[in-house]
Amino acid sequence: MDNRTRTPVTVIGLGLMGQALAGAFLKAGHPTTVWNRTAAKADRLVAEGARAAATVGQAIEAGSLTVVCVTDYRAFHELLDSGDVAPQGTTLVNLTSGDSGQAREAARWAGQRGARYLDGAVMAIPSTIGTTEAVILQSGARADFDAHASALGALGTVTYLGADHGLASLYDVSGLAMMWSVLNAWLQGTALLRTAGVEAAAYAPFAQRIAAGVATWLPGYAEQIDRGSFPAEVSSLETDARAMAHLIEESEAAGVDAELPKLIKAMADRAIAAGHGKEQYPVLIEEFGRPGAR
């Protein structure tokens, strides 16, 4: 493949994810320069056609698009905020895990040095990079994203979220909140059923159907939240709270930890005490929006 018309790309950070990112760019025909603190991690990629840079500064100079995938934002700044690094004129795509405040600060830092900046999150495991299964979240100036959307598409399904550089991090942690909540709820149910000799494998298909059904409620519930109006079209929070009490009682009677359902009911009880008992479950957004509420 003639790669002269492909965007030259640099990848800084060659952990498992960084190697997968660089490999996807190579497979798509992009001239790819790599750098890692432990130089030997570049050997396989060099054998596949990548160029190893001697310094971070040389790596950035080699491509108009630099993808950074390191441990954290502290490492990002330690590597790029040094005398031999001149990022002006390049576009930095930071796929390092962190929070939204760090993302916005990194964008300010890049702007002060004449660089364009996109912050991102990888919602995938290394083996899926380069396939549509890998979701790559991006936030930052639309023009900067559009300029490199084609090249970034080599990594997977790239989703642009908006101009706020912190959005990718916020979507990332919001997705984790969903993931852990679903898994913990499944583990609660699995623990209960195991007391009756039901294996996890037998419960899993039923749990899948429940999770899929609940997911269909989200668009309607989202409309209620955005309107700030929570009519009880399905059931009231008071009704849900009675079912929560039953779950707690069943768990305690079976010798299963009831901490999770107790936490959920405590939030519902506060909302009911505040006068929301006749409204629908999404009214609990008010509790999530009150940090430290007890």
Side-chain angles (χ1 to χ4, degrees):
M1 178 184 294
D2 183 358
N3 63 15
R4 288 175 296 179
T5 60
R6 300 282 185 171
T7 302
V9 177
T10 289
V11 177
I12 294 175
L14 298 177
L16 292 176
M17 184 60 74
Q19 290 188 39
L21 297 172
F25 283 127
L26 281 169
K27 187 176 180 180
H30 293 277
T32 304
T33 300
V34 295
W35 181 91
N36 192 75
R37 196 185 300 274
T38 303
K41 287 190 175 182
D43 290 349
R44 179 182 62 80
L45 291 164
V46 170
E48 294 175 0
R51 171 181 174 270
T55 67
V56 173
Q58 291 177 11
I60 290 177
E61 291 172 1
S64 58
L65 177 65
T66 297
V67 175
V68 183
C69 185
V70 292
T71 306
D72 52 30
Y73 280 78
R74 179 177 179 180
F76 171 89
H77 287 290
E78 285 178 350
L79 290 175
L80 274 67
D81 200 5
S82 61
D84 72 328
V85 176
Q88 64 266 22
T90 193
T91 298
L92 299 173
V93 177
N94 192 7
L95 297 181
T96 297
S97 295
D99 61 45
S100 58
Q102 291 172 317
R104 294 176 184 123
E105 174 55 35
R108 287 191 290 270
W109 173 90
Q112 291 168 357
R113 288 156 181 78
R116 291 173 290 279
Y117 181 87
L118 293 168
D119 205 89
V122 180
M123 311 296 285
I125 58 175
S127 62
T128 64
I129 296 298
T131 74
T132 56
E133 186 178 343
V135 175
I136 314 296
L137 305 179
Q138 290 284 281
S139 53
R142 182 78 206 210
D144 295 338
F145 171 77
D146 287 344
H148 296 288
S150 178
L152 292 171
L155 304 179
T157 302
V158 182
T159 303
Y160 176 74
L161 300 172
D164 178 357
H165 289 91
L167 283 174
S169 292
L170 286 172
Y171 267 79
D172 184 20
V173 294
S174 297
L176 292 175
M178 282 288 298
M179 179 185 74
W180 288 324
S181 295
V182 170
L183 288 174
N184 285 335
W186 175 69
L187 290 171
Q188 181 84 34
T190 299
L192 276 167
L193 287 166
R194 286 178 70 190
T195 66
V198 178
E199 294 186 348
Y203 173 49
F206 175 81
Q208 279 184 302
R209 289 194 294 272
I210 294 294
V214 171
T216 66
W217 304 348
L218 299 185
Y221 280 8
E223 289 180 6
Q224 289 193 343
I225 291 171
D226 290 342
R227 289 198 312 263
S229 176
F230 308 94
E233 299 166 349
V234 178
S235 68
S236 69
L237 189 59
E238 288 177 339
T239 299
D240 290 332
R242 288 193 289 272
M244 293 172 194
H246 176 59
L247 172 57
I248 293 168
E249 292 163 4
E250 186 75 62
S251 297
E252 291 178 334
V256 170
D257 192 295
E259 183 177 0
L260 179 59
K262 282 181 177 179
L263 172 62
I264 297 168
K265 188 173 185 299
M267 297 182 74
D269 288 343
R270 290 198 300 270
I272 291 168
H276 300 297
K278 303 298 184 184
E279 296 176 273
Q280 194 157 258
Y281 196 87
V283 74
L284 283 181
I285 190 68
E286 306 298 338
E287 293 300 314
F288 282 96
R290 289 167 47 201
R294 292 291 184 272

